[in-house]
Amino acid sequence: MLTIKEKYAFKVLSRRYLKIFMNVLIGLLAFSIVRSAFMLLFWVNTDEPFSFGGFFTGLFIQDYFSVLMFVLFILTFLNYRDFKYFMQNSLSRNTYWKAKTLVILVFGFCLEVLDLGFTEISRLLGITSYDLVNVFQNFYMTGVKSKVLLQLGSFGFSLLILWGFCFIGFTIGGLFSMLARKKQLVLIAVFVIIGLQALLLLLGFLLDYDGRVQDFILLFLGYSEKGSWDSTLLLSFSVCSILVNMLLSHYFITKIQVKRR
Amino acid sequence: MSSLELKNIYKSFLNKNVLADVNLTFQPEMIYGLFGCNGAGKSTLLNIIASRILTDGGEVFYDHQSVWEYDDLMAKIYLVDSNDMYYPGMKLSKIIADTAGFYGEFDQEYALELSEKFELNLDQKYAKLSTGYKTIFKLIMSLCVPAEYVLLDEPVLGLDSQHRKLFYQELLNTYTKKPRTFIIATHLIDEISQIIQRVLIMQNGKIVVNQEVEELLAEAYLVLGSEEDLAPYIHDLHVIGHEKLGNLHGYYILGELPAELTQQTTVQIETLSLDQVFVHLIQDEEGDAYVNN
């Protein structure tokens, strides 16, 4: 399992990320309060007076955990400063990669659990009434009868998507951490130009005739030729993407230097 | 404690060779001075030893095991240089606590004692420190970590003379209580010549001198006299420098002097400082002929 150093490395990185999450949450809450206070000053709806009760319940339907998941995704791009701190304490690049991978897996899992719990509590308290459905529930529910399994499947699916994006970020961040600032800017410019060109080509292909966009989306989401949602393409793609990006991120991280090329 | 070996180290930046086939062994419990001109490769060498940069060839070994990507062996080496390696918003006390956590043991008592001597407030955030106090903090950390090889790259840059003196005193104190190897790369040769035991001089990416300080200085002379008096002897000696004032010639010599020369009453012989040896050796085109391992 993990050595003492690896465990401590995970602890240090987790503590740093938790602090960032707390600051973001406090910022979100403060923004909500300030925004509401601002709206109160300019409330012009005479039919429905401003309600503080409504304001507080409104806080419960804010998508805090989605924001935190996005913050986690952004943090996966940022490696250089953490690497330097670990290097000063004589920790290897491999140890840093393990610690960060564990943080992505654990934090991603915890955020998904909290998001699910928060949503269910809001629903039980009657604060929200709509069902949050994701792609999994929409397209795979015909094959799954049990509500518990459906919920677990949705949870697993969301988790895979979050992890998938985070490891893509870790790979890109690892690549950029190897490079000096000028080379980073050149790479960004290349990605943007090639990305835009690829997007234009894809749009041109898809818009050729009406049915093509729909066919593409159905294929990507897992609609099989039998006429049902039982293709595992999206799920397989997510798992493969995670594994490939774990390998790539490991490769890039082991090449980082304090003096970047 | 085991020795630290560098084998066949090569490194180049932008097609320029910075280190060329460096082979070196550092012994335990020794204080080394690492000298060289700007661009000689000192910082690159120290960064490679500390695994901060990748080599183009060669490896670093501790007890015949490669140090690269091996946490336990990397923990035996600790480098302090001008790079800011800490989180700017982190308190110094937190950095110390983290270092203690990473290393398992860290002399926190001594760190507190040193912070008081240097008048450093550990409740401050790292980014709020002046350049001088950032250096002081890093030096305090280097004296308190349980590493066997402490590498100091220009350790006293930005320090006033009082703090420099205090640092050298504490370095000797801690070395006496808990001997380990210090490798100090600096341009202030005369300042550390009293504390180092072995000198390494780098030139063009190679080690040109690797010798005990006493041995090196025991055979380093400035020979002053007229051209007629010195001419018969000079060609057989290793001359690393020459100065002339009117008819008075001064030759900087490395190596044993012949008895006939030392007995000459018209010739004056003086010993050299380490700084003088360095300056003239670096200027000597045949400096690499003096490699002494």
Side-chain angles (χ1 to χ4, degrees), chain A residues 195-206:
Chain A
L196 278 172
Q197 290 296 322
L199 194 62
L200 286 170
L201 275 169
L202 181 66
L203 281 174
F205 171 74
L206 291 175

Side-chain angles (χ1 to χ4, degrees), chain B residues 114 117-119 143 160-171 173:
Chain B
L114 286 175
K117 283 185 183 178
F118 281 98
E119 296 171 328
L143 296 180
D160 58 49
S161 58
Q162 186 191 347
H163 281 145
R164 291 208 301 272
K165 193 177 165 188
L166 183 56
F167 167 67
Y168 295 135
Q169 275 172 3
E170 291 301 331
L171 189 149
N173 279 346

Side-chain angles (χ1 to χ4, degrees), chain A residues 3-13 15-17 19 79-96 98 183 250 253-261, chain B residues 11 13 43-44 47 50-55 68-72 74-81 83-90 94-104 125 141:
Chain A
T3 63
I4 294 172
K5 284 186 189 292
E6 286 165 353
K7 282 180 192 166
Y8 200 81
F10 169 72
K11 183 181 160 189
V12 166
L13 212 50
R15 187 188 66 209
R16 179 164 139 71
Y17 279 24
K19 196 174 169 189
N79 294 292
Y80 189 58
R81 192 165 283 288
D82 295 326
F83 159 73
K84 285 206 296 183
Y85 189 63
F86 278 41
M87 184 53 60
Q88 180 62 57
N89 287 291
S90 304
L91 291 176
S92 64
R93 291 154 179 81
N94 203 35
T95 298
Y96 169 66
K98 277 187 193 173
K183 285 187 182 174
H250 183 264
I253 293 295
T254 54
K255 300 293 179 198
I256 296 180
Q257 301 183 86
V258 171
K259 289 181 185 177
R260 296 192 276 192
R261 286 173 285 187
Chain B
K11 182 67 184 177
F13 288 114
S43 297
T44 304
N47 274 279
S51 301
R52 287 195 185 179
I53 59 177
L54 284 70
T55 62
W68 180 255
E69 288 295 292
Y70 194 158
D71 282 347
D72 288 344
M74 286 175 68
K76 299 205 182 286
I77 302 165
Y78 190 85
L79 170 62
V80 163
D81 64 4
N83 281 308
D84 270 340
M85 305 290 279
Y86 300 117
Y87 296 117
M90 205 178 227
K94 197 79 200 104
I95 295 173
I96 288 174
D98 273 352
T99 306
F102 281 123
Y103 277 89
K125 290 186 181 176
M141 298 297 280

Side-chain angles (χ1 to χ4, degrees), chain B residues 24 39 48 71 132 180 182 200 218 229 290:
Chain B
L24 206 47
I48 282 174
D71 282 347
R180 51 199 186 280
F182 287 91
L200 298 163
D229 289 335
Y290 197 73

Side-chain angles (χ1 to χ4, degrees), chain A residues 33-49:
Chain A
I33 292 167
V34 167
R35 185 187 61 175
S36 300
F38 191 75
M39 282 167 64
L40 176 63
L41 282 174
F42 295 96
W43 192 261
V44 294
N45 187 344
T46 53
D47 295 330
E48 199 177 319

